[in-house]
Each structure stands twice: as structure tokens, then as C-alpha cells.
Amino acid sequence: MNNFEFKNPTKIIFGKDTIKNIANEIPTNAKVLLLYGGGSVKKNGIYDQVTTALANVDFIEFGGIPANPEYALLMDALKVIKDEKITYLLAVGGGSVIDGTKFLSAAALYEGETPWDILTKNIRTEKGMPFGTVLTLPATGSEMNSGAVITRKETKEKLAMGGPGLFPVFSILDPQVISSIPQRQLANGLMDAFTHVLEQYMTYPVEALLQDRFAESILQTIIEVAPKILKDPTDYKAASNFMWSCTMALNGLIQKGVPTDWAVHAMGHELTALFGIDHARTLAIIAPSHYEFNFEAKKEKLAQYGERVWNITEGTLEEKAKAAIKKTVAFFHEIGIDTKLSDYTKDYEGTAEKIAKRFTDRGWLGLGEHQSLSPDKVEEIVKMAY
């Protein structure tokens, strides 16, 4: 097992009817900016619960944060923060709203002239404006980690940021919110969390026995609850396990002491930036090709995953590993997610070359757990995903 440090300061408040607990978590003298997405929170009753809990706090609102939070819109929110002398942020939404709020947390205290530099220059945020979250869509784990991804439409870029100053102070997880989420978004959430685990697990063995079993248990739980959630989002038992699995998939715990990959995300982000494809679905496009291309480097872990998660007991190590990839693709299809770029766009020709050039221009010359995926190899993987 590799050396590691682990600290996660986010307070989780989990369970039925917990949104009202906001009142106990935000300082009464704070001036709050309430951030949310396209308005679904006003239709499903979550907005009313939040504003009732904020009855004794001075707050103003900023709505309309889209999926793949957009830099230009967030700059409008940053102006509100500066003009209104906001001291505390509250994100009510899924990963996009929370990621956008993390950017604002960093940008509000950033002393440079151009906040986009935080992303392009990989500036770690050591201290941000404090913020809390009310999770409305389980998927990204952003409610209990310190990372974010922001999109800039004008340059068709989607870049990551983070730092120890970007953990939420608190996050409220009420599984009842799942009952109003559309099927497409539920499938995306299942896919996103599943791939988050794979990115931290599907590398090579380092005898981190507990981390492996943590990861495998999250994968097994997602596989078990996926059909229940998609059939009946009001199933509270399934919703609870789904929500907590998404959080545990990316709160830092399972990545400690082990090598991690993240090449699938790097390539997937480019597909979202270029075509607007849902983030989770870009992961489903790239992951199978990535595992096939890197089969020799990953076959031990693939076989272990096949045995422990999919109960594949017959065959050689290589046969188990190949069967595990097939099982994974079948699972993605079962939850309603296509796995080829051509399923989403007819304009896929040239995409691989474009992504390889972007990575070269950025100096991303070695992705993956071995830092061995050069842009020419990325090009091959993306072509395999057509």
C-alpha cells in the first residue's frame, strides 16, 4: 500500500426531512448567496424547504446554473458576490451546481485578475469562501470532496480545479429528493458513480486489501440498487443506498494508498466540451475502449473485479478479465446508456485527432496510473470508441 494522508472535513447530514437542518449550520450573521439550477427545485418542493430553513438568514438567489457549469454565467454570479458583499454560499442541486459553487468559493477570494487562471494554471485553492450543499441529484460525489470541473463555451474547454479550501462545510443528503429525478438523470448518476470507483480501482494491485474491498462493495451496491431505482425512484431503501454510494465513490476514501487512473475522465470531458454529451455518458463511451487498449496493464485488476463483483469464476486470468469488460458494457446498456460515440453524434470523424492535439497543446503527455498514455495512444482509444 502506498503512503497517504487523509482528511475530509465535510459534515454529512443524511436522511429523511433533513433539509430543515440548514438553519443549524449557517451562521445567523452570514449574508448568503443561494445557488441552484434550472428551476426543478421550485417544482419538487426542495426550494420551499430550503428557503423556509433560511427564514432567519439574510440571503439572495442566483438560479440557472446549467449542467456543465459555464464560466461566463459563473462570472455573473461572482459579480453578485462582490457587489452584495456575500459571505457564505449555499448550493442546492447536483454536481454541476456544487461544482459551480466551488469555483465561486475559490474565485471570491482569488487575488489574480482572471479567475479562469485557477483552472488553466492548476492553482490549488487553499482557502475559499465557506459553503454548504443540499444534494438534489446523486452522481458526482462533489458534496463531499474538494474537486470541481468547469466548462467554458467560447473555447470549448472543460477543466478541473480543486484544493483543500474547497470542501463543503456541510452537505445535506435527503434520499427523498430522488423521487422527482427523471430516468435519464438517474441512469447518469449510476453511471457516474460506477465509473468514479473504476477510475480509482481498475489499475494494478498494490495489496491495498481494504481499499479494494471498499471499492468492490460500492460497485456491488450500485449494481444491486440500479434496477430498483430505475423502476421506482420512491423506493427509499434503494434511494438511500444509491445516494450514499455516489458520495462514498468520490469522497477520497477509496483512493488512499492506491494508484488511480482518471484518463477516462480526461477523455470524456473533451467529448462533453466538443459535443455537449452528458458527462456520465462520455465515460461509458470511453471506458470499454480504454480497458481493452490497456488490457495487459490492467488484466490482473480486471480479473479480480470480474471474480469479486460479477462472480466470474471460469477461465484463465485473461478470459476472466475480458469477460469483466463485457459484463461492464452489458450493465451500462441495461441502465439505458449507449457506449459508442456514433450513438450520440454523426460528426465523430476527426474527434480523436482533435483530442490528441488538445492534450499535446496542454502538455498532457502521460495520462493514467503509469503516466504512459501519450496523446497518440489517447487518439487510438478514442477511435476505438467511435
Side-chain angles (χ1 to χ4, degrees), residues 179-236:
S179 62
S180 63
I181 298 172
Q183 283 267 309
R184 180 185 183 88
Q185 294 297 95
L186 288 171
N188 283 351
L190 291 160
M191 178 71 222
D192 203 9
F194 199 87
T195 315
H196 284 161
V197 179
L198 291 179
E199 291 274 52
Q200 300 163 90
Y201 169 83
M202 198 64 71
T203 55
Y204 55 90
V206 292
E207 296 299 316
L209 304 183
L210 187 59
Q211 285 92 320
D212 276 2
R213 288 189 169 89
F214 279 149
E216 290 153 2
S217 68
I218 298 169
L219 295 170
Q220 288 169 319
T221 304
I222 293 170
I223 291 165
E224 183 177 333
V225 302
K228 298 175 184 175
I229 283 292
L230 293 171
K231 182 182 176 184
D232 180 13
T234 66
D235 180 338
Y236 184 80

Side-chain angles (χ1 to χ4, degrees), residues 274-275 347-356 379 382-383 386:
L274 290 168
F275 299 108
D347 301 323
Y348 56 83
E349 290 293 349
T351 300
E353 291 86 350
K354 199 174 289 184
I355 292 174
E379 187 175 321
V382 177
K383 277 184 179 172
Y386 285 177

Side-chain angles (χ1 to χ4, degrees), residues 40 72 111 119 132-133 151 197 244 258 267 312 342 346:
S40 61
E111 294 179 355
L119 293 111
T133 88
T151 298
V197 179
W244 190 227
V258 300
M267 290 179 262
I312 298 166
S342 53
K346 294 175 183 175

Side-chain angles (χ1 to χ4, degrees), residues 230-287:
L230 293 171
K231 182 182 176 184
D232 180 13
T234 66
D235 180 338
Y236 184 80
K237 289 179 183 176
S240 299
N241 284 290
F242 168 43
M243 183 173 259
W244 190 227
S245 291
C246 291
T247 302
M248 289 295 289
L250 200 58
N251 65 3
L253 181 65
I254 65 171
Q255 75 173 21
K256 296 307 172 186
V258 300
T260 59
D261 187 344
W262 298 111
V264 173
H265 272 68
M267 290 179 262
H269 286 165
E270 299 305 319
L271 297 181
T272 297
L274 290 168
F275 299 108
I277 303 167
D278 297 6
H279 166 66
R281 290 164 196 257
T282 69
L283 305 179
I285 293 166
I286 295 293

